[in-house]
Amino acid sequence: MTTNKARRIIIAAVVIAVAITCTKWYWYKHHQAQNQLSYQCFSNGQGWGYDILLGKKILIHQSINPAVKGRIAYDSKQAAEADARIVIGKIKLGETPVFNSHQMQHTGTLPAQ
């Protein structure tokens, strides 16, 4: 009788351990997917812009090129994508996602002077 009781305790402990592991794995995958940074470019009729997303939530909506005077959109999807990738990189490094003129010239979104 003692052997059966010990087996039941061991089986129950294993089942509980598996359940806890599966729950933690599911929570981790779900939480990781929600905190994934990404970007999405869009055409606004006058040019291009981008959104920086955290999961499905928009963190930054950039409809204009901040390096160009006036409220002018990016002239190409590639230029918007280049700046969006830099913004994501800065956020991941804990930096403020602000560009200086050297970075804008490097991505091609600001003409060389």
Side-chain angles (χ1 to χ4, degrees):
M1 182 82 92
T2 308
T3 307
N4 284 339
K5 190 173 185 181
R7 274 191 202 153
R8 287 182 185 161
I9 291 173
I10 290 171
I11 290 171
V14 169
V15 168
I16 291 170
V18 168
I20 290 171
T21 302
C22 289
T23 302
K24 283 186 175 185
W25 177 81
Y26 174 78
W27 181 85
Y28 173 76
K29 288 294 185 182
H30 182 70
H31 185 69
Q32 184 181 19
Q34 285 184 333
N35 290 330
Q36 188 75 28
L37 282 171
S38 63
Y39 68 89
Q40 189 172 36
C41 292
F42 58 86
S43 175
N44 62 11
Q46 300 170 352
W48 290 88
Y50 63 85
D51 289 330
I52 302 296
L53 307 164
L54 180 62
K56 294 181 181 181
K57 180 180 177 185
I58 296 175
L59 290 180
I60 299 171
H61 178 75
Q62 188 67 49
S63 59
I64 62 168
N65 185 338
V68 179
K69 290 184 180 179
R71 299 187 54 81
I72 300 172
Y74 289 91
D75 60 354
S76 71
K77 183 178 181 181
Q78 291 78 16
E81 285 177 336
D83 281 1
R85 286 191 293 271
I86 290 173
V87 168
I88 288 174
K90 286 180 169 259
I91 292 170
K92 286 181 177 180
L93 291 173
E95 298 176 7
T96 303
V98 175
F99 292 96
N100 61 39
S101 61
H102 174 71
Q103 288 168 322
M104 294 303 233
Q105 287 175 352
H106 179 70
T107 63
T109 58
L110 182 66
Q113 298 176 7

